Amino acid sequence: MDLKKNDIIRLRITSMTAQGSGVGKTEDGVVVFVPMSAIGDDLEVRILKTKKTYAYGKIETIVSPSENRIEVDCPVFRKCGGCVYRHISYEAELEIKYSRVRDALERIGGFENLKINPVAGNDRVDRYRNKAQLPARNSENGVELGFFANHSHRIIPLDDCMLQPELFNRVNATVKRFMDETAQSAYDEGSKRGKLRHIYIRYAEQTGELMVCLVVNGNGLKQEDLLVKTLREEIPELKTVVINSNREDTNVILGGRNRTAYGSGHITDVLRGKSFKLSPMSFYQVNRNQAEKLYEIAENYANLTGNETLLDLYCGTGTIGLSMAEKCKSLVGVEIIADAVRDAEENAKANGITNARFICSDAAYAAEELRKEGTKPDVVIIDPPRKGCDAELIGTIVKMAPKRAVYVSCDPETLARDLKLFSEKGYEVREATPVDMFSRTAHVETVALLIRK
Ligand code: SAH
């Protein structure tokens, strides 16, 4: 191609990538990716990097802005790795997310005329997260908490994040002050010295209970009594303080050992009328209100009448299955993390649910075992991590021949790949509904309904 670094070109942005970069094509047909641009922008773009058939650039001048643009309200937008859509209206963001799901299902799945419902939008575009994990570092101003910059271990200090409740700012300020006043330092990745690695906060919105977990290099902090006292004085929502030990030289945030410094070591939230115990290790949807919508759509798709055997694969702490347990005959949940399975069992008990059991295993392995034992689920719910499920698991589900399968996915691309496999093996993809759980970020969740032909 003729383009080279530092060239300035004129470009019109016509679409978005799955990661939230704008895309335009030069007159010679070269695709250029431009972060922080918006569909409809007419730009002068500086080329930063060229590849064989495409290039990366950054905005030099906005010649004529997209009508979707809005004022950016965050000083670290696109410096931290979180939001990608603070510069466009929420309606425009939902359109992009809808297109992403439609494109993936058409292009990867081959589903041309599939009914895809409008994206179930978020009622709160900001401050919807109930969880934060902020790395700590030492600075001239003492301990600082922030976010890792995009693709890096540099920390961008931060007093406020628009996706998090303001309550978290109060917690961060209190912990920072405690660290400075007791002359304790943050962990340093280079020298492997220092104490505080991360602060991990979880908030149960329906009960108002707050968990503060401090991830430390070592067994604990000095003067933990004072820490607890200060937090209790400053933060009335505080329910429990947990110290997590992580001495490993890795990127994994949490170490294997938790010690409760105050309270019970967990908090409880309410989701669709059921109570759920949250411990530091167990998975819980970070956007509670949208999770209720997501589960409601899944329940409508499951169409339970009271006689069904329901199989909830990748069940976490059991939230999806337990929220519909009364509507089926029996529920089997499968989850690979032992702590989450224990939480799921306790959650069933706490809610008086007696028709549920949980298996701690790899989903594909457990499904095959259940099939060999003669379990015949009427409805299967599948909610895998981003990489989707194994072809082997899909084969087993097809052999178990449930009438319906409900696929909950946080990655449209792997969803499309997996739905294609189902459709080649006797299942019809009836419809799909995207749900916006993570406003302002590039992520989009989708629920899809499969019916056996
Ligand atoms: N359905 C739950 C959790 C979804 S997140 C909810 O809505 O809250 C996906 C879950 O899959 C996580 O809890 C993760 O621990 C689990 N998981 C990941 N790989 C797995 C595997 N191979 N087999 C079973 N569970 C797995």
Side-chain angles (χ1 to χ4, degrees):
M1 80 171 80
D2 293 333
L3 278 186
K4 51 189 188 315
K5 196 174 162 175
N6 283 324
D7 280 356
I8 307 268
I9 58 159
R10 189 75 178 258
L11 196 73
R12 193 172 179 83
I13 301 301
T14 52
S15 64
M16 275 344 235
T17 66
Q19 291 75 33
S21 263
V23 186
K25 238 186 205 170
T26 65
E27 277 168 11
D28 306 329
V30 179
V31 172
V32 184
F33 299 103
V34 187
M36 288 166 91
S37 61
I39 295 173
D41 273 350
D42 184 1
L43 304 171
E44 274 182 352
V45 168
R46 180 182 292 272
I47 299 299
L48 299 177
K49 200 158 135 192
T50 57
K51 299 273 179 181
K52 268 210 183 82
T53 56
Y54 58 92
Y56 296 95
K58 74 168 194 191
I59 299 178
E60 191 76 5
T61 328
I62 299 178
V63 181
S64 157
S66 156
E67 58 181 22
N68 299 329
R69 276 188 177 268
I70 57 169
E71 198 156 331
V72 174
D73 54 2
C74 174
V76 294
F77 176 51
R78 288 318 285 264
K79 293 194 183 82
C80 97
C83 298
V84 295
Y85 297 132
R86 296 207 78 79
H87 63 309
I88 57 171
S89 70
Y90 187 51
E91 294 70 48
E93 175 184 335
L94 289 182
E95 272 174 38
I96 291 168
K97 289 181 171 177
Y98 187 85
S99 301
R100 177 171 168 204
V101 173
R102 170 156 304 274
D103 280 359
L105 289 170
E106 280 182 9
R107 192 170 38 83
I108 303 168
F111 302 105
E112 293 290 335
N113 298 310
L114 181 63
K115 178 180 174 203
I116 304 175
N117 298 303
V119 184
N122 202 343
D123 303 324
R124 293 176 299 182
V125 176
D126 287 322
R127 308 213 182 273
Y128 56 80
R129 287 185 63 94
N130 57 27
K131 170 179 157 178
Q133 289 175 318
L134 302 181
R137 72 150 183 214
N138 302 305
S139 77
E140 288 163 8
N141 309 317
V143 169
E144 255 170 352
L145 298 160
F147 280 116
F148 286 127
N150 259 324
H151 312 294
S152 131
H153 269 210
R154 201 162 43 81
I155 290 177
I156 296 171
L158 174 98
D159 298 321
D160 190 19
C161 165
M162 296 298 284
L163 302 189
Q164 294 173 11
E166 271 155 349
L167 163 64
F168 291 11
N169 301 340
R170 277 193 278 136
V171 176
N172 293 338
T174 308
V175 169
K176 173 180 154 49
R177 210 182 53 203
F178 164 80
M179 293 298 291
D180 293 344
E181 284 175 3
T182 54
Q184 301 186 79
S185 57
Y187 176 69
D188 180 272
E189 284 180 343
S191 67
K192 322 250 177 292
R193 295 168 77 104
K195 270 284 156 71
L196 184 64
R197 294 176 70 125
H198 273 82
I199 177 166
Y200 168 18
I201 312 172
R202 241 179 182 182
Y203 182 51
E205 275 179 281
Q206 285 298 293
T207 58
E209 295 180 2
L210 181 84
M211 171 191 292
V212 175
C213 175
L214 298 180
V215 184
V216 301
N217 172 37
N219 291 323
L221 294 166
K222 278 187 294 185
Q223 303 190 56
E224 280 176 17
D225 289 352
L226 177 64
L227 169 72
V228 168
K229 182 169 170 281
T230 315
L231 277 170
R232 287 181 68 186
E233 279 166 11
E234 305 274 322
I235 318 285
E237 295 90 342
L238 186 76
K239 184 78 193 311
T240 191
V241 178
V242 178
I243 305 290
N244 176 275
S245 296
N246 185 358
R247 290 171 186 269
E248 304 292 316
D249 182 16
T250 68
N251 288 342
V252 180
I253 296 176
L254 293 174
R257 209 151 40 85
N258 289 312
R259 175 168 56 76
T260 304
Y262 168 67
S264 59
H266 69 263
I267 52 172
T268 302
D269 203 10
V270 177
L271 197 62
R272 302 197 81 216
K274 302 279 185 313
S275 64
F276 292 99
K277 184 181 141 183
L278 315 180
S279 48
M281 301 298 199
S282 47
F283 178 89
Y284 187 62
Q285 299 282 351
V286 299
N287 184 339
R288 183 202 159 277
N289 294 5
Q290 287 300 95
E292 286 200 322
K293 282 190 204 161
L294 179 78
Y295 292 1
E296 198 182 313
I297 295 163
E299 185 177 311
N300 287 337
Y301 282 176
N303 197 29
L304 300 168
T305 62
N307 301 318
E308 293 83 1
T309 299
L310 176 65
L311 179 58
D312 181 8
L313 297 172
Y314 305 90
C315 71
T317 55
T319 42
I320 300 186
L322 290 173
S323 75
M324 32 183 119
E326 280 133 2
K327 303 199 169 86
C328 65
K329 194 166 85 210
S330 67
L331 163 67
V332 183
V334 178
E335 162 62 44
I336 203 160
I337 305 271
D339 274 358
V341 173
R342 217 168 299 130
D343 286 349
E345 283 162 350
E346 281 182 37
N347 288 334
K349 214 182 272 168
N351 290 290
I353 293 167
T354 53
N355 61 343
R357 72 181 169 107
F358 294 92
I359 301 169
C360 182
S361 165
D362 166 61
Y365 182 81
E368 181 58 21
E369 290 300 299
L370 287 165
R371 188 190 70 79
K372 282 197 228 141
E373 286 166 17
T375 304
K376 291 198 170 66
D378 302 284
V379 180
V380 177
I381 289 171
I382 316 153
D383 184 10
R386 248 174 253 172
K387 67 171 195 237
C389 40
D390 307 334
E392 192 195 334
L393 171 60
I394 294 172
T396 305
I397 295 172
V398 168
K399 277 192 221 150
M400 289 196 281
K403 282 195 288 291
R404 284 167 179 255
V406 180
Y407 195 133
V408 179
S409 159
C410 51
D411 185 297
E413 289 74 28
T414 58
L415 171 72
R417 177 201 69 197
D418 289 351
L419 291 182
K420 184 161 191 262
L421 280 180
F422 272 108
S423 72
E424 286 162 0
K425 293 172 192 258
Y427 280 78
E428 181 203 346
V429 181
R430 189 57 69 79
E431 63 172 78
T433 309
V435 181
D436 184 35
M437 310 281 284
F438 309 102
S439 308
R440 294 339 201 169
T441 78
H443 300 288
V444 57
E445 199 92 5
T446 311
V447 196
L449 169 61
L450 290 145
I451 308 257
R452 187 155 63 96
K453 278 190 235 163

